[in-house]
Amino acid sequence: METGELSTSMVVAIDGPSGSGKSSVSRGVARALGLAYLDTGAMYRAATWWCLHRGVPLTDVAAVAEQVRGLPLEMGVDPERPTVHVDGVDIGDAIRETAISAAVSAVATNLEVRAELGRLQRAAIEGSREPGSFSGGRGIVAEGRDITTVVAPDADVRVLLTASEDARLARRALDVHGSDDAAAVEATRDQVLRRDADDSTVVQFHVAADGVATVDSSHLDLDQTVQAVLDVVAQVTGSRA
């Protein structure tokens, strides 16, 4: 990209299915643009961890929603080192464990939880425009499944990041198991596809909504995908990193 400056604060919203590369790509875009970074999926994982930690059955929709309304959550928005703390405890590693991955859909499909976490996400996005924020008021890259359509439909740039099923399964297998061989892919298949199927019951993230640009990363590496999103930013806003 050419050297330059963003003229105003910017909100970049990135959605996509499991294994599409949302987190790594969003962090790369945030670094390139000097923006904050918000992993909304980590917020659902944190809520899941908190409910399990408190012994709340995830099938008890009302009880889960009540716990999330009082969730003592603090999200670190530095794209170099994003953090997740609940009640002062660093749970950044804990929320990536298989037990949380297997349980998070029960929380993510709870409509009251989505409403509450959506409120927190909108507050974080608005806060990123303040001069005293992490990004100095320059804005934020927020990624998830409903950011482009529900949380920030008026974002300056909206991108649906997608990839073929084979590519997504291989990436998630490599991330979880350290290998993308046939056995690792098969071990990951249910977790990835079931999570997407469950979440599809409450939000659409497979097809781009009107005004949302699609970036297919099936045959792109990380740097190429980051560049593709930065190209969308430049095209939409005229601002370059």
Side-chain angles (χ1 to χ4, degrees):
M1 301 291 283
E2 298 172 356
T3 302
E5 294 183 357
L6 301 178
S7 59
T8 59
S9 63
M10 178 182 294
V11 174
V12 179
I14 299 179
D15 285 332
S18 299
S20 59
K22 294 190 304 296
S23 296
S24 297
V25 171
S26 296
R27 289 173 65 182
V29 170
R31 284 193 295 266
L33 297 176
L35 305 181
Y37 161 69
L38 181 65
D39 179 355
T40 67
M43 298 174 73
Y44 286 99
R45 287 174 173 269
T48 304
W49 180 90
W50 179 244
C51 289
L52 294 175
H53 178 70
R54 303 273 287 185
V56 177
L58 301 186
T59 53
D60 190 335
V61 175
V64 168
E66 182 64 26
Q67 287 295 320
V68 173
R69 280 191 284 270
L71 180 65
L73 175 64
E74 182 179 350
M75 300 291 295
V77 294
D78 181 350
E80 295 289 352
R81 188 178 177 274
T83 57
V84 185
H85 288 79
V86 171
D87 201 23
V89 177
D90 183 346
I91 61 170
D93 291 332
I95 62 173
R96 302 300 172 183
E97 293 178 356
T98 301
I100 300 299
S101 296
V104 65
S105 283
V107 174
T109 54
N110 184 318
L111 296 181
E112 290 188 57
V113 167
R114 297 197 74 85
E116 175 61 18
L117 292 186
R119 182 186 67 80
L120 296 178
Q121 291 156 15
R122 282 186 285 272
I125 289 170
E126 286 304 311
S128 73
R129 296 179 183 271
E130 299 297 326
S133 69
F134 168 83
S135 62
R138 286 167 64 87
I140 195 166
V141 177
E143 57 105 339
R145 296 186 187 272
D146 63 352
I147 312 304
T148 64
T149 55
V150 177
V151 175
D154 57 349
D156 300 285
V157 182
R158 298 184 295 157
V159 175
L160 178 69
L161 184 60
T162 187
S164 68
E165 182 177 299
D166 287 345
R168 294 189 293 110
L169 287 171
R171 289 171 186 168
R172 185 51 57 88
L174 192 61
D175 183 49
V176 174
H177 301 289
S179 171
D180 59 358
D181 62 20
V185 168
E186 195 58 35
T188 312
R189 181 179 300 276
D190 178 67
Q191 181 187 118
V192 171
L193 300 185
R194 180 169 51 82
R195 173 76 195 279
D196 282 352
D198 288 347
D199 286 5
S200 290
T201 63
V202 294
V203 64
Q204 174 57 262
F205 53 87
H206 289 291
V207 178
D210 289 345
V212 178
T214 298
V215 172
D216 188 332
S217 66
S218 300
H219 304 293
L220 303 178
D221 64 20
L222 175 59
D223 289 342
Q224 291 170 330
T225 309
V226 170
Q227 184 62 56
V229 175
L230 289 173
D231 288 345
V232 172
V233 172
Q235 181 180 8
V236 172
T237 68
S239 300
R240 304 183 74 85

XYZ file of all heavy atoms in Angstrom, residues 138-228:
675
model
N -8.810 6.806 16.140
C -8.741 6.452 14.715
C -9.757 5.380 14.329
O -10.103 5.244 13.164
C -7.328 5.965 14.369
C -6.312 7.097 14.313
C -4.887 6.554 14.297
N -4.618 5.768 13.099
C -4.186 6.271 11.945
N -4.028 7.570 11.802
N -3.923 5.488 10.920
N -10.257 4.600 15.300
C -11.286 3.626 14.986
C -10.896 2.207 15.313
O -9.963 1.952 16.090
N -11.578 1.246 14.684
C -11.464 -0.145 15.116
C -11.798 -1.097 13.961
O -12.546 -0.742 13.049
C -12.430 -0.392 16.296
C -12.108 -1.684 17.043
C -13.893 -0.381 15.840
C -12.824 -1.777 18.402
N -11.218 -2.281 14.021
C -11.623 -3.401 13.177
C -12.348 -4.385 14.093
O -11.767 -4.898 15.045
C -10.426 -4.095 12.513
C -10.899 -5.297 11.694
C -9.660 -3.120 11.626
N -13.618 -4.624 13.826
C -14.414 -5.548 14.640
C -14.780 -6.745 13.782
O -15.246 -6.582 12.646
C -15.681 -4.864 15.148
N -14.562 -7.949 14.316
C -14.857 -9.152 13.537
C -15.767 -10.099 14.290
O -15.745 -10.147 15.519
C -13.558 -9.855 13.129
C -12.645 -10.234 14.289
C -12.659 -11.705 14.615
O -13.639 -12.397 14.253
O -11.695 -12.148 15.259
N -16.589 -10.827 13.520
C -17.507 -11.772 14.134
C -18.390 -12.428 13.094
O -17.930 -12.812 12.022
N -19.677 -12.545 13.412
C -20.623 -13.160 12.486
C -21.780 -12.229 12.126
O -22.461 -12.444 11.129
C -21.187 -14.447 13.101
C -20.144 -15.532 13.320
C -20.837 -16.786 13.795
N -19.936 -17.851 14.186
C -19.448 -18.772 13.372
N -19.732 -18.728 12.097
N -18.656 -19.722 13.828
N -22.020 -11.215 12.952
C -23.144 -10.311 12.682
C -22.736 -8.847 12.766
O -23.570 -7.981 12.955
C -24.296 -10.589 13.652
C -23.922 -10.321 15.109
O -22.724 -10.074 15.397
O -24.821 -10.379 15.976
N -21.458 -8.572 12.592
C -20.983 -7.199 12.731
C -21.433 -6.357 11.540
O -21.834 -5.205 11.680
C -19.448 -7.152 12.870
C -18.980 -8.168 13.926
C -18.992 -5.751 13.262
C -19.621 -7.974 15.280
N -21.368 -6.930 10.344
C -21.732 -6.163 9.147
C -23.229 -5.932 9.005
O -23.651 -5.035 8.278
C -21.239 -6.877 7.872
O -21.906 -8.139 7.746
C -19.736 -7.111 7.906
N -24.030 -6.726 9.706
C -25.482 -6.666 9.505
C -26.269 -6.189 10.719
O -27.304 -5.548 10.574
C -26.019 -8.047 9.105
O -25.613 -9.007 10.088
C -25.473 -8.469 7.744
N -25.800 -6.528 11.933
C -26.566 -6.236 13.141
C -25.859 -5.232 14.044
O -26.437 -4.227 14.464
C -26.854 -7.530 13.934
C -27.590 -7.212 15.238
C -27.652 -8.508 13.090
N -24.602 -5.496 14.353
C -23.873 -4.665 15.318
C -23.454 -3.335 14.710
O -23.642 -2.271 15.311
C -22.643 -5.422 15.867
C -21.815 -4.510 16.781
C -23.083 -6.662 16.631
N -22.874 -3.376 13.517
C -22.380 -2.141 12.897
C -22.739 -2.080 11.421
O -21.862 -2.038 10.551
C -20.870 -2.042 13.079
N -24.030 -2.073 11.111
C -24.435 -2.035 9.697
C -24.053 -0.735 9.002
O -24.072 -0.664 7.774
C -25.960 -2.192 9.775
C -26.327 -1.671 11.128
C -25.190 -2.070 12.015
N -23.683 0.291 9.790
C -23.272 1.570 9.218
C -21.758 1.750 9.261
O -21.251 2.869 9.126
C -23.953 2.726 9.952
C -23.673 2.716 11.458
O -23.131 1.695 11.960
O -24.002 3.713 12.128
N -21.014 0.653 9.433
C -19.557 0.734 9.439
C -19.052 1.327 8.132
O -19.692 1.185 7.078
C -18.953 -0.653 9.646
N -17.908 1.979 8.192
C -17.346 2.603 6.998
C -17.033 1.576 5.922
O -17.213 1.819 4.731
C -16.069 3.369 7.364
C -16.332 4.446 8.385
O -16.893 5.486 8.007
O -16.000 4.235 9.562
N -16.525 0.410 6.353
C -16.191 -0.677 5.434
C -16.747 -1.968 6.010
O -16.550 -2.271 7.191
C -14.667 -0.814 5.242
C -14.351 -1.933 4.245
C -14.059 0.505 4.783
N -17.447 -2.731 5.180
C -18.005 -4.005 5.626
C -17.555 -5.113 4.680
O -17.705 -4.979 3.468
C -19.531 -3.943 5.683
C -20.066 -2.913 6.686
C -21.576 -2.966 6.764
N -22.194 -2.566 5.507
C -23.424 -2.915 5.140
N -24.167 -3.685 5.909
N -23.923 -2.492 3.982
N -17.008 -6.172 5.270
C -16.432 -7.254 4.474
C -16.937 -8.589 4.984
O -16.939 -8.844 6.198
C -14.893 -7.234 4.548
C -14.299 -8.445 3.809
C -14.334 -5.939 3.974
N -17.340 -9.448 4.064
C -17.602 -10.850 4.384
C -16.391 -11.641 3.911
O -16.098 -11.689 2.719
C -18.867 -11.368 3.695
C -19.166 -12.846 3.958
C -19.578 -13.059 5.406
C -20.245 -13.368 3.022
N -15.666 -12.237 4.861
C -14.492 -13.042 4.551
C -14.913 -14.503 4.504
O -15.421 -15.041 5.489
C -13.419 -12.835 5.619
C -12.089 -13.534 5.400
C -11.424 -13.071 4.107
C -11.162 -13.277 6.593
N -14.726 -15.123 3.362
C -15.179 -16.489 3.206
C -14.066 -17.354 2.628
O -13.010 -16.867 2.244
C -16.429 -16.532 2.307
O -16.966 -17.851 2.290
C -16.085 -16.121 0.884
N -14.311 -18.657 2.563
C -13.367 -19.607 1.975
C -14.114 -20.906 1.754
O -15.178 -21.136 2.339
C -12.159 -19.828 2.883
N -13.561 -21.763 0.929
C -14.190 -23.059 0.683
C -14.203 -23.888 1.964
O -13.402 -23.664 2.876
C -13.431 -23.815 -0.403
O -12.148 -24.192 0.062
N -15.111 -24.865 2.024
C -15.183 -25.727 3.200
C -13.865 -26.455 3.435
O -13.397 -26.549 4.574
C -16.320 -26.734 3.032
C -16.512 -27.655 4.237
C -17.684 -28.583 4.055
O -18.820 -28.084 3.917
O -17.457 -29.817 4.036
N -13.255 -26.956 2.379
C -11.984 -27.675 2.530
C -10.907 -26.767 3.108
O -10.143 -27.186 3.998
C -11.523 -28.219 1.173
C -12.352 -29.403 0.695
O -13.088 -29.980 1.526
O -12.259 -29.742 -0.502
N -10.832 -25.540 2.620
C -9.818 -24.606 3.116
C -10.071 -24.262 4.575
O -9.136 -24.214 5.386
C -9.816 -23.338 2.261
N -11.324 -24.057 4.933
C -11.643 -23.690 6.310
C -11.347 -24.833 7.279
O -10.813 -24.623 8.375
C -13.112 -23.261 6.410
C -13.402 -21.981 5.641
C -14.775 -21.419 5.903
N -15.854 -22.247 5.400
C -16.701 -22.929 6.155
N -16.584 -22.910 7.477
N -17.666 -23.637 5.607
N -11.687 -26.049 6.881
C -11.423 -27.194 7.745
C -9.919 -27.398 7.925
O -9.451 -27.695 9.036
C -12.058 -28.453 7.161
C -13.583 -28.540 7.260
C -14.102 -29.720 6.453
C -14.029 -28.653 8.706
N -9.154 -27.246 6.850
C -7.706 -27.424 6.943
C -7.081 -26.376 7.859
O -6.201 -26.693 8.683
C -7.088 -27.346 5.546
N -7.550 -25.154 7.762
C -6.998 -24.091 8.612
C -7.312 -24.332 10.082
O -6.457 -24.173 10.944
C -7.566 -22.741 8.173
C -7.042 -22.258 6.852
C -7.812 -21.046 6.381
N -7.397 -20.647 5.040
C -8.063 -19.771 4.300
N -9.171 -19.202 4.783
N -7.634 -19.448 3.096
N -8.539 -24.702 10.359
C -8.907 -24.930 11.754
C -8.186 -26.158 12.312
O -7.757 -26.162 13.464
C -10.419 -25.081 11.873
C -10.937 -25.205 13.317
C -10.411 -24.088 14.212
N -10.731 -22.764 13.744
C -11.859 -22.120 14.062
N -12.744 -22.695 14.846
N -12.082 -20.913 13.614
N -8.009 -27.202 11.497
C -7.272 -28.391 11.942
C -5.833 -28.026 12.269
O -5.274 -28.475 13.278
C -7.322 -29.470 10.870
N -5.225 -27.205 11.433
C -3.846 -26.782 11.669
C -3.751 -25.954 12.940
O -2.799 -26.092 13.725
C -3.355 -25.970 10.471
C -1.863 -25.666 10.394
C -1.056 -26.957 10.316
C -1.573 -24.779 9.190
N -4.748 -25.131 13.176
C -4.764 -24.275 14.364
C -4.961 -25.093 15.637
O -4.289 -24.868 16.650
C -5.883 -23.241 14.225
C -5.925 -22.275 15.391
O -4.862 -21.735 15.749
O -7.014 -22.053 15.945
N -5.876 -26.061 15.580
C -6.224 -26.823 16.782
C -5.279 -28.005 17.015
O -4.851 -28.271 18.141
C -7.683 -27.334 16.694
C -8.009 -28.243 17.875
C -8.641 -26.153 16.643
N -4.940 -28.697 15.936
C -4.176 -29.938 16.069
C -2.734 -29.830 15.596
O -1.963 -30.780 15.739
C -4.868 -31.063 15.297
C -6.269 -31.340 15.759
N -6.559 -31.939 16.962
C -7.468 -31.066 15.169
C -7.877 -32.039 17.101
N -8.449 -31.513 16.042
N -2.373 -28.698 15.007
C -1.012 -28.540 14.519
C -0.747 -29.279 13.228
O 0.403 -29.407 12.802
N -1.771 -29.797 12.595
C -1.635 -30.543 11.348
C -2.910 -30.400 10.537
O -3.997 -30.248 11.103
C -1.373 -32.027 11.638
O -1.444 -32.792 10.442
N -2.765 -30.432 9.222
C -3.946 -30.407 8.363
C -4.049 -31.699 7.552
O -4.604 -31.703 6.452
C -3.930 -29.189 7.438
C -2.705 -29.151 6.531
O -1.838 -30.042 6.642
O -2.610 -28.224 5.699
N -3.517 -32.803 8.129
C -3.666 -34.082 7.449
C -5.106 -34.577 7.582
O -5.930 -33.968 8.276
C -2.676 -35.126 7.969
C -2.853 -35.459 9.450
O -3.932 -35.193 10.015
O -1.913 -36.005 10.049
N -5.428 -35.670 6.922
C -6.812 -36.144 6.852
C -7.403 -36.411 8.229
O -8.568 -36.083 8.495
C -6.885 -37.404 5.990
N -6.610 -37.007 9.112
C -7.108 -37.334 10.456
C -7.431 -36.065 11.247
O -8.457 -35.992 11.933
C -6.082 -38.181 11.204
N -6.559 -35.059 11.154
C -6.775 -33.811 11.882
C -7.996 -33.066 11.337
O -8.798 -32.518 12.103
C -5.538 -32.925 11.781
N -8.142 -33.074 10.022
C -9.299 -32.419 9.410
C -10.587 -33.090 9.851
O -11.567 -32.431 10.211
C -9.186 -32.431 7.872
C -10.511 -32.026 7.232
C -8.074 -31.499 7.415
N -10.599 -34.407 9.865
C -11.797 -35.138 10.252
C -12.136 -34.893 11.716
O -13.314 -34.774 12.087
C -11.615 -36.635 9.996
C -12.904 -37.433 10.013
C -13.912 -36.928 8.992
O -13.501 -36.494 7.897
O -15.131 -36.942 9.304
N -11.110 -34.788 12.566
C -11.331 -34.541 13.990
C -11.907 -33.149 14.235
O -12.538 -32.912 15.275
C -10.021 -34.704 14.758
N -11.697 -32.252 13.297
C -12.150 -30.872 13.444
C -13.495 -30.625 12.758
O -14.185 -29.663 13.060
C -11.098 -29.909 12.841
O -9.809 -30.260 13.324
C -11.394 -28.470 13.219
N -13.868 -31.511 11.850
C -15.019 -31.286 10.997
C -16.297 -30.980 11.780
O -16.989 -29.985 11.506
C -15.253 -32.507 10.098
C -16.440 -32.356 9.145
C -16.594 -33.599 8.279
N -15.405 -33.853 7.481
C -15.178 -33.274 6.312
N -16.075 -32.437 5.806
N -14.084 -33.538 5.641
N -16.619 -31.808 12.743
C -17.883 -31.629 13.457
C -17.922 -30.302 14.186
O -18.927 -29.590 14.137
C -18.095 -32.777 14.450
C -19.384 -32.594 15.256
O -20.469 -32.675 14.650
O -19.296 -32.346 16.478
N -16.813 -29.946 14.842
C -16.771 -28.707 15.604
C -17.017 -27.495 14.714
O -17.803 -26.607 15.050
C -15.406 -28.579 16.293
C -15.249 -27.328 17.133
C -13.835 -27.171 17.655
O -13.153 -26.197 17.343
N -13.375 -28.132 18.427
N -16.359 -27.477 13.555
C -16.470 -26.328 12.661
C -17.847 -26.249 12.015
O -18.524 -25.222 12.068
C -15.378 -26.390 11.569
C -15.630 -25.328 10.505
C -14.003 -26.212 12.191
N -18.280 -27.346 11.407
C -19.528 -27.323 10.657
C -20.742 -27.216 11.568
O -21.724 -26.541 11.242
C -19.625 -28.554 9.768
C -18.501 -28.701 8.727
C -18.767 -29.889 7.814
C -18.322 -27.421 7.916
N -20.686 -27.866 12.719
C -21.820 -27.787 13.654
C -21.938 -26.382 14.219
O -23.046 -25.859 14.367
C -21.653 -28.807 14.778
C -22.799 -28.783 15.797
C -22.722 -29.994 16.739
N -21.394 -30.129 17.311
C -20.965 -29.431 18.371
N -21.761 -28.539 18.937
N -19.756 -29.627 18.845
N -20.828 -25.747 14.540
C -20.867 -24.378 15.053
C -21.477 -23.447 14.021
O -22.340 -22.616 14.327
C -19.449 -23.923 15.412
C -19.355 -22.441 15.800
C -19.881 -22.172 17.177
N -20.116 -20.764 17.391
C -19.184 -19.864 17.705
N -17.928 -20.238 17.817
N -19.504 -18.609 17.924
N -21.063 -23.587 12.767
C -21.617 -22.736 11.725
C -23.116 -22.987 11.540
O -23.894 -22.052 11.378
C -20.892 -22.983 10.403
C -19.537 -22.291 10.345
O -19.235 -21.506 11.256
O -18.781 -22.546 9.390
N -23.489 -24.256 11.572
C -24.913 -24.593 11.395
C -25.751 -24.041 12.533
O -26.839 -23.489 12.319
C -25.077 -26.108 11.294
N -25.250 -24.182 13.766
C -25.983 -23.668 14.930
C -26.144 -22.154 14.847
O -27.241 -21.611 15.025
C -25.260 -24.039 16.224
C -25.360 -25.518 16.556
O -26.182 -26.210 15.936
O -24.602 -25.982 17.435
N -25.045 -21.461 14.585
C -25.101 -20.005 14.567
C -25.915 -19.478 13.392
O -26.463 -18.372 13.455
C -23.684 -19.424 14.518
C -22.971 -19.552 15.856
O -23.547 -20.161 16.774
O -21.833 -19.057 15.990
N -26.009 -20.264 12.320
C -26.805 -19.850 11.159
C -28.289 -19.746 11.484
O -29.049 -19.120 10.736
C -26.604 -20.833 10.003
O -25.310 -20.729 9.476
N -28.696 -20.331 12.603
C -30.105 -20.245 12.984
C -30.473 -18.859 13.511
O -31.649 -18.517 13.569
C -30.470 -21.303 14.049
O -29.725 -21.047 15.251
C -30.143 -22.713 13.554
N -29.465 -18.068 13.898
C -29.763 -16.745 14.455
C -29.122 -15.598 13.685
O -29.460 -14.437 13.912
C -29.335 -16.656 15.947
C -30.179 -17.586 16.803
C -27.852 -16.958 16.116
N -28.186 -15.881 12.786
C -27.546 -14.816 12.018
C -27.036 -15.382 10.701
O -26.629 -16.540 10.629
C -26.383 -14.177 12.828
C -25.279 -15.190 13.090
C -25.829 -12.946 12.125
N -27.055 -14.541 9.667
C -26.592 -14.954 8.347
C -25.166 -14.455 8.129
O -24.913 -13.255 8.165
C -27.510 -14.388 7.264
C -27.047 -14.643 5.838
C -26.849 -16.115 5.524
O -25.731 -16.622 5.561
N -27.944 -16.809 5.244
N -24.230 -15.366 7.910
C -22.845 -14.957 7.689
C -22.185 -15.736 6.550
O -20.959 -15.753 6.432
C -22.018 -15.133 8.979
C -22.110 -16.506 9.583
C -21.268 -17.523 9.185
C -23.076 -16.779 10.545
C -21.367 -18.790 9.727
C -23.183 -18.044 11.101
C -22.326 -19.056 10.692
N -22.987 -16.385 5.736
C -22.450 -17.117 4.593
C -22.598 -16.343 3.292
O -21.855 -16.578 2.344
C -23.162 -18.476 4.455
C -22.783 -19.446 5.530
N -21.527 -20.011 5.612
C -23.493 -19.953 6.571
C -21.481 -20.833 6.651
N -22.652 -20.800 7.248
N -23.568 -15.436 3.238
C -23.818 -14.647 2.036
C -23.768 -13.167 2.412
O -24.365 -12.748 3.406
C -25.189 -14.993 1.425
C -25.458 -14.139 0.195
C -25.265 -16.476 1.078
N -23.054 -12.391 1.625
C -22.903 -10.970 1.917
C -24.216 -10.224 1.765
O -24.941 -10.418 0.793
C -21.855 -10.359 1.000
N -24.515 -9.368 2.725
C -25.683 -8.499 2.634
C -25.389 -7.382 1.641
O -24.242 -7.181 1.212
C -26.010 -7.926 4.011
N -26.408 -6.636 1.271
C -26.232 -5.515 0.356
C -25.195 -4.541 0.913
O -25.242 -4.168 2.090
C -27.557 -4.776 0.153
C -28.553 -5.577 -0.669
O -28.126 -6.559 -1.306
O -29.744 -5.217 -0.659
N -24.270 -4.137 0.084
C -23.254 -3.174 0.495
C -22.050 -3.786 1.175
O -21.119 -3.055 1.556
N -22.039 -5.107 1.339
C -20.916 -5.796 1.984
C -20.047 -6.442 0.916
O -20.539 -7.211 0.078
C -21.416 -6.877 2.973
C -20.240 -7.620 3.595
C -22.286 -6.233 4.056
N -18.757 -6.133 0.931
C -17.824 -6.710 -0.038
C -17.439 -8.121 0.391
O -17.274 -8.394 1.577
C -16.573 -5.850 -0.137
N -17.284 -9.023 -0.568
C -16.868 -10.390 -0.279
C -15.414 -10.588 -0.670
O -14.998 -10.209 -1.779
C -17.731 -11.402 -1.062
O -19.090 -11.274 -0.648
C -17.264 -12.830 -0.803
N -14.641 -11.168 0.253
C -13.257 -11.551 -0.028
C -13.149 -13.051 0.180
O -13.377 -13.551 1.284
C -12.260 -10.817 0.887
C -10.846 -11.385 0.716
C -12.269 -9.322 0.602
N -12.841 -13.786 -0.881
C -12.692 -15.239 -0.814
C -11.217 -15.561 -0.642
O -10.397 -15.288 -1.528
C -13.227 -15.876 -2.092
C -13.288 -17.396 -2.015
O -12.489 -17.991 -1.277
O -14.125 -18.003 -2.708
N -10.874 -16.140 0.505
C -9.473 -16.410 0.826
C -9.066 -17.855 0.565
O -8.001 -18.283 1.006
C -9.214 -16.072 2.305
O -9.936 -16.963 3.154
N -9.907 -18.606 -0.159
C -9.639 -20.033 -0.367
C -8.241 -20.293 -0.890
O -7.574 -21.252 -0.474
C -10.662 -20.622 -1.348
O -11.969 -20.498 -0.868
N -7.768 -19.447 -1.798
C -6.472 -19.676 -2.437
C -5.476 -18.567 -2.124
O -4.505 -18.370 -2.859
C -6.667 -19.802 -3.951
C -7.640 -20.875 -4.335
N -7.389 -22.219 -4.133
C -8.882 -20.800 -4.867
C -8.425 -22.932 -4.551
N -9.344 -22.093 -4.990
N -5.713 -17.870 -1.012
C -4.821 -16.798 -0.593
C -4.144 -17.152 0.729
O -4.754 -17.794 1.584
C -5.603 -15.495 -0.411
C -6.404 -14.975 -1.611
C -7.149 -13.703 -1.214
C -5.503 -14.730 -2.805
N -2.900 -16.718 0.909
C -2.276 -16.871 2.215
C -2.669 -15.677 3.087
O -3.431 -14.796 2.651
C -0.758 -17.040 2.103
C -0.046 -15.818 1.516
O -0.631 -14.711 1.537
O 1.099 -15.971 1.047
N -2.156 -15.637 4.310
C -2.570 -14.592 5.246
C -2.257 -13.205 4.718
O -3.115 -12.310 4.712
C -1.902 -14.813 6.606
C -2.141 -13.717 7.657
C -3.629 -13.543 7.937
C -1.387 -14.046 8.937
N -1.018 -12.984 4.283
C -0.632 -11.657 3.815
C -1.463 -11.225 2.611
O -1.853 -10.059 2.501
C 0.854 -11.636 3.447
C 1.764 -11.716 4.665
O 1.266 -11.449 5.778
O 2.952 -12.035 4.505
N -1.732 -12.156 1.722
C -2.533 -11.826 0.543
C -3.966 -11.475 0.931
O -4.576 -10.581 0.334
C -2.525 -13.003 -0.434
C -1.182 -13.245 -1.102
C -1.145 -14.550 -1.876
O -1.827 -15.517 -1.528
N -0.337 -14.598 -2.924
N -4.495 -12.160 1.935
C -5.865 -11.883 2.361
C -5.954 -10.535 3.056
O -6.897 -9.761 2.826
C -6.384 -12.991 3.281
O -6.163 -14.267 2.680
C -7.874 -12.824 3.550
N -4.974 -10.237 3.909
C -4.921 -8.919 4.543
C -4.870 -7.837 3.470
O -5.596 -6.832 3.536
C -3.706 -8.806 5.493
C -3.515 -7.355 5.946
C -3.890 -9.705 6.706
N -4.040 -8.048 2.464
C -3.918 -7.066 1.390
C -5.241 -6.898 0.640
O -5.632 -5.784 0.279
C -2.825 -7.470 0.412
C -2.557 -6.453 -0.680
C -2.072 -5.129 -0.136
O -1.078 -5.079 0.590
N -2.780 -4.050 -0.451
N -5.938 -8.016 0.418
C -7.218 -7.953 -0.289
C -8.222 -7.111 0.484
O -8.984 -6.325 -0.105
C -7.764 -9.359 -0.515
